[in-house]
Structures are given as structure tokens and as C-alpha cells.
Amino acid sequence: MCRGEHDRAVARLRAVLTTVPPDAPVRLGKPSSNLFRFGRRDRTDGLPVSGLDSVITLDRDARTIEVGGLITYEKLVAATLPEKLMPAVVPQLKTITLGGAVAGLGIESTSFRNGLPHESVVEMDVLTGSGDVVTVSPDDPLFRAFPNSYGTLGYAVRLVIKLVEVENTVALSHHRFSSPTEALAAVEQLWNDPLVHFLDGVVFDRNEIYVTAGRFDDRAGPVSDYTGRSIYYRSIRERDTDRLTLHDYLWRWDTDWFWCSAALGLQNGFIRRLWPRQHRRSDVYRRIVGFDRRLGVTRRCQALLGRRREAVFQDVEIPLPHAAGFLERLCDTVPIRPMWLCPLRSGDDRTWPLYPLDSGMGYVNIGFWATVPLEAGMSSSHYNRLVEQLVADAGGHKSLYSTVHYDREQFWSSYDEDAYRRVKRRYDPDGRFPELYNKVVGDHATG
């Protein structure tokens, strides 16, 4: 794609923004979403995004790529892997966009070395509430406040990010542990091994936890395929070692949406054979779930049977010294299995007002996504509120992509409200974009 085409796409976006009434909601007309704030369908026209999902330039020598902010990681990886490069962190679902990962949550098994996606951004163009497009670099307050702002400070329409050198194949070793303490001690040990390039884990139960270490290995040999009948997360229990192409390793979780495809029956062998391979994708499953949530089919069926369930879709980040204790309490109180473990450490000492990670501290991201049966007398948000309390007790943070139940004081005690307000006043003085607390807490139906 040439720069002129990208510039014309940005001009179209700005032109439409100027026609939106000041009191009308503003959102991007994205074809998909990875958020879990389901609710009524927003039927307002979104801002046009065509032309904002392409590669503008790729500099092999400098190991950087310049792209539109709406490019998906699937398309981004397809452009970089032929050059034996990849983004420093590639979130696990194909349709996560680069701009979305920078403004929200993006994490994967390289995060223990490379931090989070926003840390590898060199510069970006942001469409602000005033209709301007401003170019910001790491020293700008908007640049630093942008991560975790979820579109409330503007939209990234162009980004330049650093890339890292890669090889074609990843060798995996799966290590089983019988307690959170043992598993997290192993994570800490593997963290310091220079031959480990990827690191994550799966909690099948309190006494069955696997830590998976990956390293680049381009020696000749067979590789596994988990896009057909075989299912990646099940293989972790079945074999001690494995090998995948880097492409298939990066998307190992997408085929079955980690393990959540089971809720759609897709892990049944008969149904799996009938389900077209090209539709074994996280975005397909998410659309099905979103459709069901909007129509309330499952909810009505549960009500007819006298049952209630709560959707608990959470990613939380816990300081490594407190992670084992947190995981034990989580296993004791929240009946969700499996859970994903992903170590991370901030790669620099810059201040991120809405993503306050201590640069000297290791963290463990714990992800769990399921519906949970509610007992009589439990509120409809029982488990989500319990998780928020456990996270606070452990000195951690939770992602804002799912439902949030903090009151305003609790919410802003975790983030730098003053820094956010200063940037908001400067770049969105008329409040064209929603305020962060209102978006993630007060209005679960949008996002």
C-alpha cells in the first residue's frame, strides 16, 4: 500500500467525524471486536476504517514496520514472517488489531522478555476528539496515557513499531507441577534462562499446572498441526515436548479460542469434522457468542430450567511474589478451569499512567473465561466482584476489556486520574469520546 492511499483513508475518517453531532457517540466502524462487554447492539454508523488496515512500509534493516492502526495481527504477521521478523509481542487471537492492543490489552508468551505491545511503539498518529491527527512519540503525554485508554483519548490510525528477529520453528517443553508454588518457582527460574524465548502455562487444576517453555529450533524434523482434529491445549497433558512452525505457534490458541470452543461443541469429534476448517477461528466463535448474548437464547433457556450463570471473562496481572497465593485463592473460590498463565515484565522504566506496572517487578497474567453457575442468594456479579477483590488484595490490576464493577473511587485509585484528565482536556476538550470510567464501567453495552 502506498502512503497516499493511507492518507486518503485518514482524510475520509476525519471528514466523517466533522459531520457527527457533538452530543452523538463516536466509535470506529470495526468489523469485529475482542471485547467482552456484550449488550445491546450499537446500530449507529461507525467512523469509516477502510484503508487503515494495511502495511505502509517495512524496513528490514531497521527492523521496523509502519502500518495502519486497524491492521490485524494476522495480517501483520503475514507481512513480517517472510522477512524472518515478527512484532515483539503477538497477542494470541488473529483479529486483535495493533491499535486495539496498544489502546487496550495485548499479551503473549514473549511478554516475559518484551513487555506489552505499546512498549515497542516508536511513534503513532492519533485521531483526537477535536478532529486533528497528531503524531506522538514516547516523550509525549498522549503517547504515555494512550495504553489502556480504550479509545477514550483517540484512535491510533498509524503506528511504527519495532520488530524482532525470529527463526522458523519453535521447540516446546511442557513441565507439570502439583501446586501453584512449584509452578511459579519454575516460571521464575525459566525467566532467567537465555535459551527460553517463549514462556506461558496452563492451570488444569490446583494440583495440575503446566509451564511451557519455547525456544527457536530450526533443525529438521516433524512439526505438529493443531488446526485440524488435534487440539493444542489437550496436547500439553499428552506429551512432554512438541515442535510447531512459528506461524502455527503464534496462532496455537486461536483455532479453539484457547479452550472455549468446547462451549460450541467444537471439541466433539463428530461436530469438529463437520465444522469447516476456515471457520475454526476465534472471531467466528466470538460472533456466535455475541449473537446469543444479544438475543438472550441461552439466558432464557437457563431461566426456564431455574438456573443462573455468570459470565466471568477476566485477565488479571499479579506481582510474581504474590502470584502463587493469588492462584491458590482463585482455585479455591472461582470454579473455572482451565486458566492461562502468562509471565510479563515491563521492558522499560517509562511511566504509563493507565498501565501502572513496576519496571523492576515480574508479573503473571492469569486469564480465565467461562460462565459459572450461581447459587441461591448470589448476586449476578458475585464472581466478578470476588475476582476484583482478590486482585486488589494481591496488589495487582485487571484488564478493562471485560466487565468492570469498581465504583469510581476504587477505579481511579488504580490509575493516574490526574494524568488522564490533563491529556483528555488537551486532546478531547469537548468530550467527543467517552470518559474511561463511563466506558468500561458505566456502559457495558458499548466498547
Side-chain angles (χ1 to χ4, degrees), residues 16 56 70 88 134 172 178-179 185 193 200 225 231 242 273 289 298 313 316 330 351 369 423 431 439:
V16 173
I56 302 171
L70 272 293
V134 297
L172 303 178
S178 58
S179 73
D193 185 340
D200 70 345
D225 178 5
I231 297 172
D242 208 345
R273 284 193 295 272
V289 172
T298 299
F313 296 90
V316 301
L330 192 67
T351 300
W369 319 284
V423 174
K439 181 168 186 176

Side-chain angles (χ1 to χ4, degrees), residues 139-173:
D139 294 330
D140 191 285
L142 175 58
F143 187 101
R144 295 194 297 274
F146 200 80
N148 227 26
S149 64
Y150 282 86
T152 66
L153 296 177
Y155 295 113
V157 295
R158 182 189 67 92
L159 301 100
V160 180
I161 64 168
K162 300 174 186 175
L163 304 172
V164 296
E165 300 271 0
V166 298
E167 297 179 18
N168 296 322
T169 310
V170 179
L172 303 178
S173 57

Side-chain angles (χ1 to χ4, degrees), residues 76-86 166 168 246-247 250:
L76 186 54
V77 165
T80 62
L81 285 193
E83 302 294 332
K84 299 199 76 171
L85 298 169
M86 78 174 199
V166 298
N168 296 322
L246 175 58
H247 175 275
L250 293 177

Side-chain angles (χ1 to χ4, degrees), residues 355-383:
Y355 229 125
L357 300 179
D358 185 340
S359 62
M361 175 71 70
Y363 293 80
V364 178
N365 175 280
I366 303 172
F368 40 102
W369 319 284
T371 63
V372 183
L374 289 167
E375 298 177 7
M378 286 184 174
S379 74
S380 60
S381 58
H382 172 84
Y383 286 104

Side-chain angles (χ1 to χ4, degrees), residues 222-226 239 242-245 248:
V223 293
S224 298
D225 178 5
Y226 294 108
R239 54 193 306 170
D242 208 345
R243 295 179 79 248
L244 289 83
T245 65
D248 286 356

